[in-house]
Amino acid sequence: MAENTGMRPIAKDTVHKLCSGQVIVDLATSAKELLENSLDAGATSIDIKMRDSGVTSITVTDNGHGIPPENYPTLCRKHWTSKITSFEDLDGVTTFGFRGEALSSLCAVASVTIVTATRESAPMGMSLEYDHNGELVGSTAVARERGTTVVVSGLFARWPVRLADLKKNARREYTRLVSLVEQYSIISDVRLCLSNQTRGQPVVAVRTPPQSDRLTRLLSVFGAHVRPHLVRFEYQAEDFSLEGHVSRPEGGRGGSDKQYFFVNGRPCDLPRPKKLVNEVFRGYCPNRYPVFAIAIVVKGSVDVNLTPDKREILIRCEELVLRGLKEAL
């Protein structure tokens, strides 16, 4: 540690690494950010391919709009985004991403290569290579249909402690990623496939058909055996609405891992509503947990900017939502 000789600014590259480490904290957040970018780009087909549970590489391929050439130099720079222009825009943000941190942070913790093509440039695209500061350092013309492929390799190679943890807990980290991708597969009407290759052929963990209804996507995640036990419900109020599926007591599970909430189309963690659903369920089945997917649509008064991963959401009318949820159940 340096001798305390007074205040001084932290070096720019150090600030970049410090902030990036809060955005990309593990395997799941790495893939989540890329998945959200694909959804925001209007993709209808997304493939997430892991090598060695993400330790070797993460590849996300979509058929979205592609990246226009004028955005190549600034694509991975910190806080450069096409989603918002001012803080006030957060009130009406409809995209998953908006902070302009994901690609920049991935560059800081891994090696990033992007291959992209727009409708105008296809079947030709560009392969773009970025350095750890998010600066474009190389580009090559390649064949590519419209869409984007992002390859993240050597995740946490420059962060020895996190790399050691990732290698030690690769299977657990991949399981968390599967759960996360399942949530997006439920709420999004796109063809979504997650696979992992360690030895031999890739093993598919999540696959949902395109343009399918909510129940079909739910069953692809929960399993067809749950269908007879699922109950659909709705609830309408002035400031919000609820719509979802929850299992009857006979369809309960031994764990609470298949319990998903969505607020205005965004997967999120809602501790109080989750606790309420489980308490209601335990009134009928004390030793089991329900499976559920509940979508909440709130008219304004939602803050999605609490944490870098945007998993925590502040709902001003949460007390009303809790009352409505209890009544609906």
Side-chain angles (χ1 to χ4, degrees), residues 113-131:
T113 301
I114 299 174
V115 180
T116 187
T118 61
R119 181 178 60 184
E120 293 76 17
S121 68
M124 289 300 295
M126 291 294 290
S127 176
L128 310 169
E129 183 181 351
Y130 294 86
D131 66 15

Side-chain angles (χ1 to χ4, degrees), residues 290-327:
V291 299
F292 62 76
I294 300 173
I296 306 171
V297 176
V298 181
K299 300 175 183 177
S301 302
V302 174
D303 189 346
V304 299
N305 193 39
L306 297 180
T307 58
D309 65 359
K310 300 175 285 291
R311 290 286 303 183
E312 295 182 28
I313 293 181
L314 181 62
I315 304 174
R316 183 177 297 177
C317 62
E318 186 176 47
E319 293 298 332
L320 295 176
V321 170
L322 290 170
R323 271 182 268 169
L325 182 57
K326 187 172 183 179
E327 183 179 332

